[in-house]
Amino acid sequence: PPRLQVLGNFEALRAVLNGLQHRAVVRLAAAWEALPADGLAAFDALEDLLSAAGNFQLYRQTLQLRGGQPLVPVLSICLHDL
């Protein structure tokens, strides 16, 4: 898993993913094609982890699996739950 995920910094992980999903970055077709397969697989896994599908089901499951370990949650999801 990415270093930010290991550290439990899901807010920063979300920020990085948002940057990579920005329209200007997505249009860099040559750069995306040059990425190794494991890099693309890691990107897809991050997209899945922070996907809104099922009310962020995979993200919530990941948090539960971490138990009581310290983490930085995704603030927007925390605020939505309030």
Side-chain angles (χ1 to χ4, degrees):
R3 180 92 170 127
L4 290 172
Q5 185 176 353
V6 172
L7 292 172
N9 193 342
F10 293 95
E11 180 67 27
L13 193 62
R14 176 74 168 179
V16 169
L17 184 62
N18 284 344
L20 291 172
Q21 292 173 329
H22 189 273
R23 180 174 25 128
V25 176
V26 171
R27 290 187 310 194
L28 300 172
W32 286 101
E33 290 171 4
L35 285 176
D38 59 337
L40 286 175
F43 177 73
D44 290 339
L46 287 180
E47 280 188 317
D48 292 343
L49 174 65
L50 296 172
S51 168
N55 195 22
F56 298 95
Q57 181 179 8
L58 186 56
Y59 167 72
R60 294 175 191 278
Q61 289 173 350
T62 302
L63 292 186
Q64 287 178 350
L65 291 175
R66 290 185 60 87
Q69 295 177 1
L71 57 90
V72 179
V74 177
L75 183 61
S76 60
I77 297 173
C78 289
L79 292 175
H80 182 267
D81 290 347
L82 295 176

